[in-house]
Amino acid sequence: ITVLNDVLVPHLKAVFGLNYSAVMDVQMYFFGAYFLMSFPSGKVVSLFGYKNSIIIGLGVTGLGALLFYPAAAIPSYSVFLVAFFVLASGITLLQVAANPYVALLGAPRGASSRLNLSQAFNSVGTTLAPKLGGLIILSGTVLSAAAFAKLDAAQRLAYQLHQARLVQGPYIGIAITLFALAAVVYLFHLPEIDVAEKRTVQTRHPFREVLQYRHLRFGVAAIFLYVGAEVSIGSFM
């Protein structure tokens, strides 16, 4: 879902006649959700536990995918941005719940190996999704800015509606898949890990105390710069 944004950036740029600055709001809204919703996601995990939080995360992500249908039907760039934010909010909750859950499933010394294995599957999706998304979403002819400018008002509206609706099918399919995954996780027996119990066993550190570790601060800066570079380069290419 995340790498499909790189497919949608040129598509939405053409549909709405946007410049690069305006179309990069797609990534700002998407990754802004990671920044804004990570702490609320932690609260959700504390209240509902890992398994239920994964189910909620899949449901919220599915809801975000469904919002692409009205966004394309109108069509409205603002509604698309709201859909991206909701979509990423669900993914943020998934990350906050699933990563520590994977780390806690088994012996502590094997935690990094389990996380690397789960991220390897993530990389497979990252490799395949742009190819599949490009075939489906970018199957129609996309006009250049110069060609779009030559169209009259009626032709522009017809073109925008046609191009925007190419997004509806794939994201309805994504939503159905996510809701199905949520149902599977709900029905599947996953070991219960009590968040509160884990807290009492382990030493608790206030957020300010954790930030005193220099390697953590450098790590945050490194991830921020890396993601910014990766997303910007991918989107502009």
Side-chain angles (χ1 to χ4, degrees):
I1 293 172
T2 303
V3 295
L4 277 179
N5 292 355
D6 292 338
V7 177
L8 286 172
V9 162
H11 188 75
L12 294 175
K13 182 176 181 292
V15 169
F16 295 103
L18 303 170
N19 58 30
Y20 279 110
S21 178
V23 79
M24 285 303 285
D25 282 348
V26 167
Q27 302 291 23
M28 287 290 290
Y29 273 71
F30 191 89
F31 287 96
Y34 280 67
F35 178 73
L36 294 171
M37 302 306 293
S38 55
F39 283 106
S41 294
K43 296 291 184 185
V44 172
V45 175
S46 296
L47 286 171
F48 298 103
Y50 291 108
K51 179 179 176 178
N52 289 332
S53 296
I54 291 168
I55 293 167
I56 294 167
L58 287 166
V60 172
T61 310
L63 178 63
L66 283 180
L67 287 173
F68 278 73
Y69 192 91
I74 298 173
S76 168
Y77 186 51
S78 297
V79 179
F80 268 113
L81 294 177
V82 171
F84 278 113
F85 186 86
V86 174
L87 194 73
S89 297
I91 295 172
T92 302
L93 178 53
L94 275 174
Q95 298 264 16
V96 170
N99 286 333
Y101 183 70
V102 168
L104 292 168
L105 283 175
R109 67 179 183 179
S112 59
S113 298
R114 290 191 295 276
L115 283 167
N116 280 332
L117 179 61
S118 66
Q119 293 305 314
F121 282 93
N122 196 35
S123 298
V124 173
T126 301
T127 304
L128 296 177
K131 297 180 186 299
L132 296 172
L135 284 172
I136 299 167
I137 297 170
L138 296 179
S139 58
T141 303
V142 178
L143 297 178
S144 65
F148 181 79
K150 292 178 182 178
L151 301 177
D152 60 36
Q155 289 173 325
R156 287 184 184 183
L157 181 60
Y159 170 76
Q160 287 178 322
L161 285 170
H162 172 71
Q163 291 292 332
R165 284 169 183 167
L166 290 174
V167 174
Q168 289 177 318
Y171 276 87
I172 290 293
I174 287 170
I176 292 168
T177 304
L178 289 164
F179 293 140
L181 275 173
V184 168
V185 173
Y186 176 77
L187 296 170
F188 197 76
H189 175 69
L190 293 171
E192 289 291 342
I193 297 173
D194 193 319
V195 183
E197 183 184 334
K198 282 288 178 185
R199 278 216 191 106
T200 57
V201 172
Q202 297 167 354
T203 305
R204 293 191 65 183
H205 296 280
F207 185 61
R208 186 178 296 177
E209 184 183 326
V210 174
L211 286 177
Q212 290 176 0
Y213 288 89
R214 191 172 66 165
H215 63 275
L216 177 70
R217 296 199 303 273
F218 279 125
V220 170
I223 292 172
F224 178 84
L225 294 170
Y226 157 71
V227 173
E230 179 193 35
V231 170
S232 300
I233 293 166
S235 297
F236 288 132
M237 284 181 70

